[in-house]
Amino acid sequence: MKYQNPTSEQMKEIYKEYIKAFQNQDWATVREYVSDNIYFYWGVSMDPLIGKDAFVGFFEEVAKYWSEYPEAEVIDATVPVLRVWINNTITVHKDWENSPFEAFGMTPKAGDKYNPQGYVNYVFNEDGQIAIIIDNDYEH
C-alpha cells in the first residue's frame, strides 16, 4: 500500500482516494484500499461482511440495483481510527426484491432515493489499509 504505519494526515489522504474509488464504483481500486480480512460491521440488523471478497462482492451486487454516492463532510483522524461524517445519496435504478436492506426498513424500488447519513469509523492497519469499518451509528 501507499504508506506503512500511516500518520493521521496520511490516513485522510488514503481515505479520500478510497472514497473516490467507491463513488466511481471502481471496485478493483477499492480492493486495493481494504485489507484481505476487512471486517465491516453495521449494527445488529445485518450480518457483518468479513473479508475483501465478501465486502467488495457485496457492493458490486448493490451496484446492480442502485448508485451510491457517499460524501465525506467531516474527517477526523487519530491513528489508527478515522471518523467520518458521511452524507450518502442513493438512487435506485432497479427494483430489489428481498433486498438485505429491508433489515433497515428500505425496500428499494426503481426511482426511490435515500439519503442516509451519520458517522462511520474506519480502523487502519499497519499496511495503510482499511481493516475495520464500523457504521453502527450510521442512520439508514
Side-chain angles (χ1 to χ4, degrees):
M1 204 56 227
K2 195 170 193 172
Y3 300 109
Q4 288 293 115
N5 299 310
T7 66
S8 295
E9 289 307 309
Q10 290 168 335
M11 287 169 37
K12 289 178 185 180
E13 179 184 332
I14 293 166
Y15 177 77
K16 288 175 184 176
E17 293 169 4
Y18 158 81
I19 201 69
K20 182 177 179 183
F22 194 98
Q23 291 165 338
N24 292 323
Q25 297 180 0
D26 179 354
W27 306 119
T29 301
V30 167
R31 290 181 72 79
E32 296 174 19
Y33 288 97
V34 298
S35 69
D36 289 340
N37 61 349
I38 186 169
Y39 185 87
F40 179 52
Y41 177 81
W42 42 17
V44 297
S45 298
M46 288 178 61
D47 290 336
L49 298 173
I50 303 170
K52 187 181 294 199
D53 291 339
F55 178 78
V56 175
F58 180 83
F59 287 102
E60 286 175 324
E61 180 68 17
V62 167
K64 295 176 184 176
Y65 299 94
W66 69 40
S67 61
E68 184 171 359
Y69 196 84
E71 294 182 271
E73 295 187 353
V74 176
I75 302 175
D76 294 313
T78 304
V79 175
V81 179
L82 184 125
R83 184 170 168 85
V84 182
W85 178 267
I86 298 285
N87 184 359
N88 199 354
T89 302
I90 295 171
T91 305
V92 181
H93 53 80
K94 181 179 175 184
D95 290 358
W96 194 351
E97 298 297 324
N98 301 311
S99 161
F101 291 96
E102 289 178 8
F104 297 123
M106 299 166 67
T107 307
K109 302 286 183 206
D112 287 352
K113 290 195 176 206
Y114 297 97
N115 183 235
Q117 52 189 308
Y119 280 105
V120 178
N121 300 293
Y122 300 82
V123 180
F124 283 72
N125 65 18
E126 62 279 355
D127 293 326
Q129 293 178 308
I130 299 167
I132 302 171
I133 302 173
I134 302 172
D135 78 344
N136 59 326
D137 62 346
Y138 190 62
E139 185 179 313
H140 295 277

